[in-house]
Amino acid sequence: MSNASGAGYGPRGPSLAPSAVPGSFSSVLRSTTASRNMGSRTDLSIAMGPDYSDQDDGATSERALADLKEKLNKEIKIREGSENLLEALNTKKAKQTKDQRSRVEEELNSSNRKISQLKNEIEALQRSQLLPSTPRGRLSGIFRGNFLSPSAMGPGMVGANRLEPDVEPESESPTFTLAEILQSLETEGMDWSYYVERANNLVELLKRHPLLKYDLVWSVFGLRVQMMLLSDSKEVVAAGYRMTRYAITDRKSLQNIRELNTDYLVILSLVKETRASVEREQALKFVRAFMEVKGGVHEISRAVLRAVVAIAEHTDDRLRMICVETLAEILIRDPELSVSAGGLGPLIDVLVEGSYGSPEALVGAFLNLYETPNRRKYLRSGHELEVLFSAFTDPLACQANEQKLRSNAKAIATILKTWSGLFILSMYEFRALKSLISAMYFPDSQIRDMILELLFDVLRIKSPSWSASFLAGRRLTTYGRVANLKSESSSHPTMSVNKDETSQRSLVEHYSTVVLAVLFEAGLQKALLNVIETSPDTALKRKATLILGEISKMAGRLLPNSYSASLQQLPELFASASKFGDAGRFISTNAIYQIDSVNRTLERSVTAAHVPLMKAAVEDGQRLLQTPRHGEQVKTKTTLRVDMDESTFRSLLIDTQVLNTVNFIKWKWDLIAQIVEGPLRNPKRMDEAIRGVKFVKRLTAFYRPFKYRFSEIQNTKLNQRYVRIGCALVHTLLQNPSGVKYLVENKLLRQIAECLAHWDRMSGLTSALPLFSAERLAGTLCGGYFEILGTLSSDLKGLAMMERWRVFNMFYHIIGRKDQDRHDLLKAILGNMDYSFDGHLRVLLSKALTACSKSIRIFATNLLRKYATAQIPSSMPSAGIVNADWAIRLLVTQLYDPDVEVCETAVKILEEACNRKHCLEYVVKCRPALDHLGDIGAPLLLRFLSTSVGYHYLHELDYINQAMDDWFLGRNDVYVTIVEASLYRALHMEHEKPQRNQNDGQERMNYGIVPPHFYRELTRTSEGCKLLEEKGHFTEFASTIRDFGMEKDDQEIILKVKGCMWAVGNVGSMPLGAPFLEESDVVHQIVKIAEESEVMGLKGTAFFVLGLISRSIHGTEILGECGWDGATTVMGESIGFCVPLDLRRLFSIKPWNRVTDQEEEQGTARAMKDATTDKDPTNTKILQMVRDLGNTVLLKKNSGDLGRLKAKKLANFRDPQLFRKVMTMLECHHYRLPARRFLIDLFDKSVMRQIVLCEDSESETERSADDDPSVNPGHPPIGLA
């Protein structure tokens, strides 16, 4: 047998290719690399008892890692010393130090080599420690090496010892080892741990050599698998499933596995009781491994899937949710198989129960089927999802079940955020949505509140800052609400305000437009008014008022006037309020007052948040002219007058307690802030504060580093006020000549410079506890000194002071250190300086952009965004401070950075800067080469097309023709994928607070925005339109839409049509694109797709494209002829949102009939008929009782009868043919899990062995064939073949 085993495998050598673990879904039974026992030490370790090698190895590796790190630190110190000595020798004459310099250089090179070697060793050791550890429980220890018990020692241990040669695993022949393992599995009568150990060794071998499984001979390997799966030990069976799972390669290997009759064994394992959890879990993993192979889902038999369905229906089963996930995956990959096996029922039940933690995933499986007609034919016209609304429409059944309501609300929100879900819920005259809205008429506060929260989520309404106070019952006119709104808007200034239409091309808002229109059609407004009038809960009433005000504002902004005009009138509410004889009119009057109050407050918040363009530009310019942090230094409720008399000023100084005590905790810092921002700006008051009293002296002394007062304060949000006041004080001193003189003579800047010198090697100063250490910068306010330096850098006089104390020299030395590991210090220096003036700081920034590490280069690149994109009005002086050319030059330099991430950051900033014509022309003037960036630089190149200068530059590079062909031949299809992924992420992202991180603060804003399109940018210029007409691409797009727009099934054609529609929409959205629309008459065809197509995604794409077309005046006119209306601003400009005048034209999906496979149903009926008949009357009786066991009414009676027959020990329950017929019935009909377990337990265990190993006798075969010619015992029933 050894020769046969060894000859069955090719000479393939070891491979280092990674191999994924197939079928994994749980970490409960993780497996780790089995350590191989070595020679005689194996016997010793076994004889000694329990194995503690894992703990010993872990401790040894920790000690080795510590030793290596210690050696590394020592070598780093040696290298630093060598570098310092080398720098000192460089200052002396070369002839005198030639020999010494050579020895130092040799020592430095040696240290560098040792450091590199030690780092590699540490990395390798750390990587080995990252291997997953396994829990010490019994079940989790089954699939771990080195756990053989002494009972495993037996006759077969001779072969086992040969499996553990005294060589390293990498030096073994993998084919020889595989043959030895399979030979050892032939040994019978061993303990279960013996077989599990060999199976684990085989799995680890396949992990180390993934290509080895392609050389398996299934006639040999399959026999070992069968014997393990037929074992009475559940651990051995589990190891057999795991071993087989790792041997899967492709669909052919799955067919080889099924030829081993594993379907019977999998069914047997799945229906076992929970005490066999390790076997059941591995069996389910084995089934899931089929789905990880291309086409493998089609090899899953219906009989096996029926068993998975039975587990998913059993509420108390531990594997229930995993089976539910498996059914959801199969529903997407093979809906026909899932539906035929009854897989829809458990999924719907779990959704209705609300017991699944992520209902969005299950709903997504159904929505995927609804997308196209050839996939949704397996479902019942959307009725599957309507069950989710029962939680709201049946309040008695869901009373006090908040979890169920919340889960169903989450699922409904997911449905309403997709086109397929929105179209399905709008069938039957919006029946499902009307039932949801009508649920608000029930006097149930919990249901009403949940629906209101659902509306907030679906419509993406962000609660305003004053909503909490409003819901608590406070009036909106109190507590300085307007002042707070203004402060909120000013504290979050926009990065740049421009005339770009990006905000008006939001796909999310366009989608919200149609959702809002559908909800209004379903009666949302009347339902909210009913809640406001009838709800006894004040908080709920106010929440309904708030959402009514929000949707009224949205309707006025997003919907056309034909929709929003009637919605703003609230006729029912005013009619009720005008009934003066009715006492209930006061409720309506109060509701009108609350709605009006909310609308006025919302209007104020919008006005405060959206400042006019010129005002924002002036504020940005002033912020650059002053200081980036001065505008937000100190936020005080009141400001003291600058022209204050002397007595009042002295009285205020005394009130601050600064003159009375040096204890800064007793000082009144709010009053100090007002004085610094107010009276100290007066030169007389400044002279008095400096010379007459000790106010300024004590304040500056507080900030001096070596006083250890300010520098020792903990870094908390509350304590940041000390930093802001310090910056304000320095800024105020710089505005006055006497203040400048005082700063020059004061020790503050000199001591800050001395603290910086501790990190400058050239200074020669050191400190045991430097002030700017990493711990101090993170834990104390020492970082505030860099903000003070930044305030100095915003003024020419401050720059002169910094130069006097050689601060710039120290900055150069700190940034120029080759072994720089203080990224926090570098970010503190770079991030707080003001680069408005041309000088040392800009040189310093350019050095950081090119010479520092990757993270610092990205950080420094992001600092340029403010200077490259700031809006400066033409009325302001165009000095160097307001000129963005220097920032653009540095950004263009960053395009050639060796790291792609740095280049990508620079491209995004340049793309923002190109919104201004001057910046765009200057970028083109720099003539950047972006070929090496590929797709990363494409958005910036597209920006160049928007001007004639950029067009001619790109034409010289021959970029336009190449890019045009690229977009025409394939990039349009990629664009569709990008847009749909962006929209999905934008709709399904949680409402999070905006990120403040400079590195990624701009990323979240891009989701849901129409990305730049080549043809859109090309159509901005007359030269581009001429080229587009010459190429004839637009005509080709229009022809594709016209010929294939109504495609239903072919996904490639549907994708191509979507790409063509996006190209047409982007061209039509530009003013110069009107002639193309007029000549092709393609708009009418897109309208037809939006109204009549049966592919829901195609309808949604057409809807978005029509919104783009409506942006142009000519496009709006064409859409008006087609019965569509667009939303406009007060000035009559289109904002790119349009809907049909008759909403039912868009939601025109017609009900369909569920399609069933007639041939399959007939085959199932024949198999069922054959399975329920037998010549033996006892068998016939058993089969009839098995058939009736699926009936809940007859379940108890038939199970009792079958139990009594089993007690008689009839030979029928040892008949393989009877067992096959029972399995056929289990496949063709629905049985609960206990019934399946009961039926399989009726038969003798030997029956399974006969079927799996095909040990049926010839006499039995001939008798079965003579008795029933329709049953062939050599072939399993339907689904098991």
Side-chain angles (χ1 to χ4, degrees):
M1 192 63 185
S2 175
N3 295 335
S5 302
Y9 308 98
R12 191 181 300 274
S15 171
L16 297 178
S19 177
V21 181
S24 298
F25 61 81
S26 175
S27 60
V28 177
L29 292 175
R30 292 191 297 265
S31 60
T32 59
T33 305
S35 56
R36 305 181 63 87
N37 301 326
M38 312 300 289
S40 61
R41 286 176 293 177
T42 304
D43 303 335
L44 179 62
S45 62
I46 295 175
M48 292 291 290
D51 178 26
Y52 298 98
S53 58
D54 291 344
Q55 292 90 330
D56 295 341
D57 292 343
T60 303
S61 62
E62 289 293 339
R63 288 194 297 271
L65 185 61
D67 294 340
L68 290 175
K69 287 183 177 180
E70 185 178 354
K71 293 180 181 179
L72 179 62
N73 293 332
K74 185 182 298 183
E75 291 297 333
I76 290 176
K77 291 180 181 178
I78 294 175
R79 183 180 66 179
E80 291 178 354
S82 302
E83 290 176 348
N84 294 335
L85 182 58
L86 195 60
E87 290 178 0
L89 292 175
N90 288 334
T91 59
K92 300 180 180 180
K93 294 183 179 180
K95 294 182 179 180
Q96 298 177 357
T97 60
K98 182 178 179 180
D99 297 337
Q100 190 176 1
R101 186 183 295 107
S102 62
R103 289 196 300 271
V104 174
E105 289 177 351
E106 182 180 356
E107 183 66 26
L108 182 61
N109 294 333
S110 176
S111 297
N112 287 330
R113 287 194 300 269
K114 292 181 180 179
I115 289 173
S116 177
Q117 182 180 358
L118 289 171
K119 286 183 178 180
N120 292 335
E121 293 179 3
I122 291 174
E123 183 180 358
L125 190 57
Q126 289 176 339
R127 191 163 52 243
S128 66
Q129 289 182 345
L130 291 178
L131 290 175
S133 59
T134 309
R136 292 291 174 180
R138 178 176 177 271
L139 293 181
S140 60
I142 290 176
F143 304 129
R144 183 174 67 246
N146 289 340
F147 74 108
L148 283 177
S149 61
S151 61
M153 301 282 289
M157 288 309 295
V158 178
N161 286 332
R162 286 190 287 127
L163 289 177
E164 317 296 342
D166 195 11
V167 292
E168 294 296 326
E170 287 75 8
S171 64
E172 297 175 332
S173 171
T175 53
F176 176 78
T177 305
L178 179 61
E180 291 294 325
I181 293 175
L182 292 178
Q183 182 181 1
S184 67
L185 288 175
E186 295 180 16
T187 307
E188 298 181 0
M190 303 299 296
D191 186 75
W192 64 268
S193 57
Y194 171 85
Y195 301 103
V196 172
E197 175 70 12
R198 271 60 195 167
N200 289 341
N201 291 340
L202 179 57
V203 169
E204 298 305 327
L205 181 66
L206 294 177
K207 281 184 178 181
R208 292 197 303 271
H209 309 285
L211 297 181
L212 191 62
K213 57 188 174 184
Y214 291 93
D215 297 332
L216 289 174
V217 176
W218 284 95
S219 60
V220 179
F221 180 75
L223 182 60
R224 309 298 184 275
V225 170
Q226 286 178 321
M227 297 307 297
M228 291 189 70
L229 297 183
L230 287 171
S231 173
D232 293 334
S233 171
K234 54 182 178 295
E235 289 84 3
V236 176
V237 177
Y241 284 124
R242 181 169 179 261
M243 181 178 68
T244 310
R245 179 159 51 91
Y246 277 90
I248 294 175
T249 55
D250 51 15
R251 188 171 180 179
K252 179 61 179 176
S253 65
L254 296 179
Q255 294 172 355
N256 292 333
I257 291 173
R258 292 195 62 201
E259 289 177 358
L260 302 176
N261 293 317
T262 54
D263 288 347
Y264 292 101
L265 297 167
V266 170
I267 296 172
L268 175 62
S269 297
L270 289 177
V271 301
K272 286 186 177 181
E273 296 182 357
T274 54
R275 61 173 176 266
S277 58
V278 61
E279 177 182 347
R280 299 177 74 230
E281 184 171 337
Q282 288 297 325
L284 189 54
K285 282 187 177 183
F286 174 72
V287 174
R288 289 179 58 86
F290 279 51
M291 294 185 291
E292 299 186 6
V293 178
K294 184 178 180 180
V297 68
H298 303 298
E299 296 298 328
I300 299 177
S301 68
R302 186 174 61 172
V304 171
L305 196 57
R306 286 277 191 184
V308 176
V309 170
I311 298 176
E313 292 175 338
H314 199 59
T315 56
D316 298 332
D317 200 292
R318 191 175 67 91
L319 300 179
R320 185 195 183 198
M321 291 306 171
I322 302 173
C323 290
V324 168
E325 294 177 6
T326 304
L327 293 176
E329 293 181 36
I330 296 177
L331 181 63
I332 295 175
R333 301 190 183 193
D334 192 349
E336 184 178 1
L337 172 63
S338 180
V339 172
S340 65
L344 293 182
L347 296 178
I348 296 174
D349 292 342
V350 170
L351 281 175
V352 175
E353 293 171 5
S355 56
Y356 189 68
S358 179
E360 304 94 332
L362 301 185
V363 167
F366 288 96
L367 296 177
N368 181 269
L369 294 188
Y370 285 125
E371 179 68 23
T372 56
N374 65 331
R375 292 178 65 83
R376 62 173 173 260
K377 64 183 180 181
Y378 301 106
L379 304 177
R380 297 175 299 128
S381 295
H383 298 300
E384 290 83 2
L385 297 181
E386 289 183 352
V387 297
L388 292 170
F389 296 86
S390 62
F392 299 94
T393 57
D394 187 8
L396 297 179
C398 300
Q399 192 170 6
N401 194 345
E402 184 180 357
Q403 179 184 357
K404 182 176 181 179
L405 285 173
R406 195 171 298 279
S407 176
N408 287 14
K410 190 184 297 184
I412 294 172
T414 303
I415 296 172
L416 288 174
K417 291 177 183 178
T418 60
W419 279 116
S420 54
L422 186 60
F423 284 126
I424 288 299
L425 296 184
S426 300
M427 293 176 62
Y428 308 106
E429 298 292 329
F430 308 99
R431 182 178 66 187
L433 292 175
K434 286 181 178 178
S435 67
L436 177 66
I437 298 300
S438 63
M440 286 197 289
Y441 289 93
F442 287 115
D444 190 321
S445 298
Q446 188 179 29
I447 291 179
R448 284 177 168 179
D449 184 66
M450 200 63 65
I451 295 177
L452 293 180
E453 292 292 336
L454 172 63
L455 294 174
F456 271 105
D457 184 19
V458 171
L459 297 175
R460 299 183 64 81
I461 298 175
K462 295 183 179 179
S463 301
S465 58
W466 44 265
S467 60
S469 300
F470 175 70
L471 296 178
R474 300 176 185 173
R475 295 179 60 189
L476 294 178
T477 55
T478 58
Y479 305 104
R481 196 65 59 193
V482 179
N484 289 344
L485 290 172
K486 293 181 179 179
S487 65
E488 284 177 9
S489 62
S490 62
S491 63
H492 301 288
T494 55
M495 187 66 66
S496 61
V497 183
N498 51 65
K499 295 182 180 180
D500 185 43
E501 303 131 349
T502 300
S503 60
Q504 298 179 357
R505 290 186 284 123
S506 172
L507 298 179
V508 176
E509 288 193 341
H510 198 186
Y511 186 80
S512 300
T513 301
V514 69
V515 173
L516 185 62
V518 168
L519 292 175
F520 277 129
E521 188 74 19
L524 174 61
Q525 190 180 49
K526 294 182 180 179
L528 289 175
L529 291 175
N530 178 267
V531 173
I532 295 172
E533 292 179 339
T534 63
S535 176
D537 189 347
T538 305
L540 188 63
K541 185 183 299 186
R542 284 177 169 259
K543 181 180 287 189
T545 304
L546 177 62
I547 195 172
L548 183 60
E550 289 281 0
I551 64 175
S552 299
K553 184 184 71 173
M554 288 179 61
R557 183 171 60 91
L558 302 178
L559 289 176
N561 292 333
S562 56
Y563 277 85
S564 60
S566 59
L567 298 175
Q568 305 291 342
Q569 298 174 2
L570 305 178
E572 297 85 357
L573 195 62
F574 277 96
S576 175
S578 60
K579 295 179 181 179
F580 296 99
D582 188 1
R585 74 180 186 88
F586 295 106
I587 299 177
S588 302
T589 305
N590 181 53
I592 293 174
Y593 168 76
Q594 294 290 350
I595 294 172
D596 178 64
S597 178
V598 168
N599 283 330
R600 282 188 285 107
T601 309
L602 288 173
E603 182 63 26
R604 289 199 300 268
S605 65
V606 172
T607 304
H610 298 85
V611 293
L613 176 65
M614 181 56 69
K615 181 179 179 181
V618 172
E619 289 178 357
D620 284 344
Q622 291 175 349
R623 192 159 52 249
L624 280 178
L625 287 172
Q626 296 174 359
T627 169
R629 57 196 68 73
H630 175 61
E632 55 179 14
Q633 281 175 358
V634 184
K635 298 179 181 178
T636 56
K637 296 181 180 179
T638 58
T639 303
L640 298 177
R641 293 175 54 186
V642 177
D643 53 343
M644 183 180 294
D645 60 272
E646 181 179 354
S647 60
T648 306
F649 179 66
R650 283 182 173 272
S651 177
L652 288 175
L653 293 184
I654 295 174
D655 291 341
T656 60
Q657 301 299 317
V658 175
L659 304 179
N660 300 332
T661 177
V662 295
N663 187 356
F664 68 91
I665 298 178
K666 297 181 179 181
W667 295 353
K668 296 183 179 180
W669 286 97
D670 292 340
L671 184 57
I672 293 174
Q674 297 179 42
I675 293 175
V676 170
E677 287 287 318
L680 280 187
R681 297 192 178 204
N682 189 326
K684 292 183 178 180
R685 304 286 83 81
M686 176 65 74
D687 289 341
E688 184 178 353
I690 293 176
R691 300 174 183 176
V693 293
K694 299 180 179 180
F695 181 76
V696 175
K697 180 180 179 181
R698 287 198 173 179
L699 273 183
T700 52
F702 165 75
Y703 287 101
R704 279 161 51 184
F706 297 147
K707 288 288 186 177
Y708 296 107
R709 299 163 74 186
F710 172 79
S711 58
E712 293 295 325
I713 299 176
Q714 293 296 318
N715 185 11
T716 62
K717 185 177 181 180
L718 179 63
N719 290 339
Q720 286 296 318
R721 60 176 180 169
Y722 301 122
V723 180
R724 293 193 294 267
I725 294 175
C727 294
L729 176 63
V730 172
H731 177 79
T732 303
L733 290 173
L734 288 173
Q735 308 308 311
N736 194 289
S738 58
V740 173
K741 182 180 179 181
Y742 181 81
L743 268 181
V744 171
E745 298 173 352
N746 195 269
K747 297 180 181 180
L748 174 64
L749 186 57
R750 183 175 63 185
Q751 291 186 6
I752 295 176
E754 185 176 346
C755 294
L756 279 173
H758 294 161
W759 296 96
D760 179 12
R761 291 181 175 177
M762 306 300 293
S763 67
L765 298 178
T766 59
S767 174
L769 295 173
L771 197 69
F772 295 140
S773 63
E775 295 78 10
R776 284 176 173 265
L777 281 182
T780 66
L781 293 182
C782 290
Y785 288 117
F786 294 101
E787 296 190 38
I788 293 175
L789 291 176
T791 305
L792 287 171
S793 67
S794 64
D795 192 280
L796 290 174
K797 298 181 287 292
L799 290 173
M801 296 180 198
M802 295 173 67
E803 190 168 3
R804 176 190 177 190
W805 294 108
R806 303 183 182 276
V807 174
F808 297 130
N809 291 351
M810 289 181 281
F811 281 172
Y812 282 124
H813 296 156
I814 292 173
I815 291 180
R817 290 178 59 176
K818 295 182 180 180
D819 60 337
Q820 182 57 256
D821 56 352
R822 287 295 311 280
H823 289 176
D824 57 336
L825 183 60
L826 295 184
K827 289 181 179 180
I829 294 174
L830 297 172
N832 288 285
M833 297 300 111
D834 192 320
Y835 305 96
S836 300
F837 296 101
D838 190 11
H840 288 289
L841 288 177
R842 289 188 182 178
V843 178
L844 192 75
L845 181 62
S846 64
K847 185 175 182 179
L849 288 169
T850 54
C852 290
S853 62
K854 170 187 169 183
S855 61
I856 297 300
R857 297 201 306 273
I858 295 176
F859 179 81
T861 305
N862 278 299
L863 292 176
L864 294 172
R865 175 179 276 111
K866 178 178 62 177
Y867 302 96
T869 61
Q871 296 292 314
I872 305 299
S874 58
S875 60
M876 302 188 67
S878 58
I881 189 172
V882 297
N883 194 350
D885 294 352
W886 70 273
I888 292 177
R889 286 196 302 271
L890 292 178
L891 287 170
V892 171
T893 304
Q894 292 304 94
L895 297 177
Y896 308 104
D897 192 276
D899 194 277
V900 178
E901 193 172 349
V902 179
C903 301
E904 187 176 4
T905 305
V907 167
K908 291 178 180 178
I909 299 174
L910 285 173
E911 190 179 354
E912 295 178 30
C914 287
N915 291 332
R916 287 189 293 162
K917 186 177 180 180
H918 167 74
C919 292
L920 176 59
E921 291 176 352
Y922 189 79
V923 173
V924 175
K925 184 179 177 180
C926 295
R927 303 181 70 85
L930 301 175
D931 296 341
H932 64 289
L933 295 180
D935 293 341
I936 296 176
L940 186 57
L941 291 174
L942 290 182
R943 287 286 186 180
F944 292 175
L945 286 175
S946 59
T947 61
S948 297
V949 178
Y951 177 87
H952 291 296
Y953 167 64
L954 294 178
H955 185 70
E956 294 176 4
L957 298 177
D958 196 26
Y959 167 79
I960 297 179
N961 290 325
Q962 296 179 10
M964 202 168 187
D965 295 338
D966 186 24
W967 277 81
F968 182 75
L969 296 176
R971 186 64 66 87
N972 269 332
D973 302 341
V974 178
Y975 183 85
V976 174
T977 306
I978 293 175
V979 171
E980 293 181 352
S982 174
L983 177 63
Y984 179 86
R985 186 162 185 177
L987 288 174
H988 292 80
M989 276 196 312
E990 298 292 337
H991 298 300
E992 299 172 355
K993 295 182 180 180
Q995 299 176 0
R996 302 296 184 87
N997 192 349
Q998 284 183 310
N999 291 341
D1000 55 1
Q1002 299 293 318
E1003 294 297 322
R1004 291 186 75 252
M1005 300 171 61
N1006 294 333
Y1007 296 127
I1009 303 297
V1010 180
H1013 198 285
F1014 176 81
Y1015 290 100
R1016 176 186 176 86
E1017 305 300 327
L1018 189 67
T1019 321
R1020 289 182 183 270
T1021 59
S1022 57
E1023 297 91 342
C1025 292
K1026 183 178 179 181
L1027 179 63
L1028 181 60
E1029 186 177 3
E1030 292 175 356
K1031 289 281 189 177
H1033 287 186
F1034 191 89
T1035 305
E1036 290 291 335
F1037 295 148
S1039 301
T1040 302
I1041 295 172
R1042 190 177 300 108
D1043 296 339
F1044 303 102
M1046 305 307 291
E1047 177 64 34
K1048 300 180 182 178
D1049 301 328
D1050 195 323
Q1051 293 297 323
E1052 293 185 3
I1053 295 179
I1054 292 174
L1055 181 63
K1056 183 67 68 176
V1057 172
K1058 287 181 179 179
C1060 293
M1061 285 198 297
W1062 279 114
V1064 168
N1066 278 280
V1067 171
S1069 64
M1070 304 307 299
L1072 297 179
F1076 295 99
L1077 298 179
E1078 185 68 27
E1079 294 174 3
S1080 61
D1081 195 27
V1082 70
V1083 179
H1084 292 81
Q1085 187 62 33
I1086 297 177
V1087 170
K1088 182 180 178 181
I1089 293 174
E1091 295 179 354
E1092 300 179 10
S1093 176
E1094 296 185 27
V1095 181
M1096 298 180 182
L1098 203 58
K1099 288 170 69 72
T1101 302
F1103 176 79
F1104 285 135
V1105 170
L1106 292 176
L1108 285 178
I1109 294 175
S1110 70
R1111 289 193 46 77
S1112 63
I1113 299 176
H1114 191 72
T1116 304
E1117 295 175 355
I1118 298 176
L1119 288 174
E1121 297 173 0
C1122 298
W1124 286 59
D1125 192 9
T1128 59
T1129 62
V1130 179
M1131 304 300 295
E1133 298 179 358
S1134 174
I1135 62 175
F1137 302 150
C1138 65
V1139 291
L1141 294 175
D1142 184 6
L1143 203 59
R1144 290 171 176 79
R1145 292 172 56 186
L1146 177 63
F1147 297 95
S1148 57
I1149 298 293
K1150 298 179 181 179
W1152 64 90
N1153 295 323
R1154 181 176 176 180
V1155 178
T1156 57
D1157 192 341
Q1158 299 294 332
E1159 183 178 351
E1160 181 182 353
E1161 287 188 352
Q1162 293 175 2
T1164 302
R1166 287 195 302 269
M1168 192 65 185
K1169 181 179 179 181
D1170 296 338
T1172 53
T1173 58
D1174 195 280
K1175 191 171 182 180
D1176 187 345
T1178 305
N1179 285 351
T1180 303
K1181 182 180 179 182
I1182 293 174
L1183 292 173
Q1184 290 177 353
M1185 286 188 288
V1186 170
R1187 180 193 61 191
D1188 295 338
L1189 206 61
N1191 189 333
T1192 308
V1193 178
L1194 303 177
L1195 175 64
K1196 186 175 181 180
K1197 175 180 179 301
N1198 287 283
S1199 60
D1201 294 341
L1202 287 171
R1204 283 186 286 273
L1205 290 177
K1206 170 67 175 177
K1208 296 180 180 179
K1209 300 183 180 180
L1210 298 178
N1212 305 70
F1213 292 112
R1214 293 190 294 272
D1215 184 2
Q1217 300 309 317
L1218 180 62
F1219 183 78
R1220 290 180 186 274
K1221 291 185 177 184
V1222 171
M1223 295 299 292
T1224 301
M1225 297 174 68
L1226 291 178
E1227 175 192 0
C1228 297
H1229 276 280
H1230 175 266
Y1231 291 87
R1232 293 284 182 180
L1233 182 63
R1236 290 175 172 271
R1237 183 182 303 132
F1238 173 75
L1239 288 175
I1240 293 178
D1241 288 344
L1242 289 175
F1243 289 86
D1244 191 79
K1245 294 182 179 180
S1246 61
V1247 176
M1248 184 64 72
R1249 183 181 183 90
Q1250 296 177 36
I1251 292 177
V1252 172
L1253 299 179
C1254 299
E1255 295 178 351
D1256 305 56
S1257 63
E1258 294 183 2
S1259 59
E1260 289 178 344
T1261 304
E1262 294 175 358
R1263 179 181 61 80
S1264 178
D1266 293 339
D1267 293 345
D1268 194 351
S1270 63
V1271 177
N1272 188 351
H1275 296 83
I1278 295 174
L1280 293 173

